[in-house]
Amino acid sequence: VLDFEAAARKEPSHVVFNGHVAALTDRPLEANAGERVRIYLHNVGPNDGSSSHVIGTIFDRVFYEGNPLNDWRGMQTVSLGASNGAVVEFIAPEEGDYVLVDHEFADAQKGALGHITVRSRTGQTTRKITTMSH
């Protein structure tokens, strides 16, 4: 339920990926090591910015606002203002659990946190490697 007064004060109760808290922790995204991963990001919040980052990777390509002419390279974090979007790509370097986070850590504490489970190149999960303690 929208709390208009909290929104006006820029005090959201939740900041989420895919529409609800734990969407990408309950059901992590999946990829294979060495595989190109593409994530579509859109900051639909009306007031605040977002700084999206996947811990343990570098975005080798970022298409700001989804526009192929806005082709940025070698970014760790993509800053998105309210209503901005981007398509980010990276190669998952090795098997493990990669954390997708809003680097505005107050937002991460409110739910803007997700996981990408990266399997071995053969598609198996042969070892559990955590790229960040959580």
Side-chain angles (χ1 to χ4, degrees):
V1 177
L2 175 64
D3 181 341
F4 182 79
E5 291 179 14
R9 290 189 313 269
K10 294 187 175 187
E11 295 176 358
S13 60
H14 297 80
V15 180
V16 300
F17 291 127
N18 276 10
H20 64 86
V21 173
L24 297 182
T25 54
D26 290 347
R27 292 186 179 164
L29 300 173
E30 297 180 350
N32 292 330
E35 180 176 82
R36 178 164 296 282
V37 176
R38 177 180 286 165
I39 301 174
Y40 297 83
L41 301 169
H42 193 124
N43 180 12
V44 297
N47 293 324
D48 290 327
S50 172
S51 298
S52 299
H53 173 68
V54 176
I55 297 170
T57 67
I58 298 290
F59 299 137
D60 57 347
R61 299 195 74 179
V62 174
F63 301 101
Y64 189 72
E65 296 289 24
N67 185 338
L69 297 176
N70 297 332
D71 186 1
W72 300 347
R73 297 180 183 248
M75 299 181 69
Q76 291 186 49
T77 303
V78 177
S79 296
L80 300 173
S83 190
N84 289 131
V87 177
V88 299
E89 294 183 347
F90 62 92
I91 304 293
E94 62 182 307
E95 182 179 351
D97 180 36
Y98 293 80
V99 179
L100 170 64
V101 65
D102 183 339
H103 244 280
E104 313 239 351
F105 279 111
D107 292 346
Q109 294 298 317
K110 293 179 181 179
L113 182 74
H115 292 265
I116 304 167
T117 300
V118 177
R119 300 173 297 250
S120 71
R121 291 180 187 270
T122 62
Q124 303 298 311
T125 302
T126 58
R127 56 192 173 132
K128 181 71 172 169
I129 300 173
T130 303
T131 58
M132 177 182 128
S133 61
H134 37 312

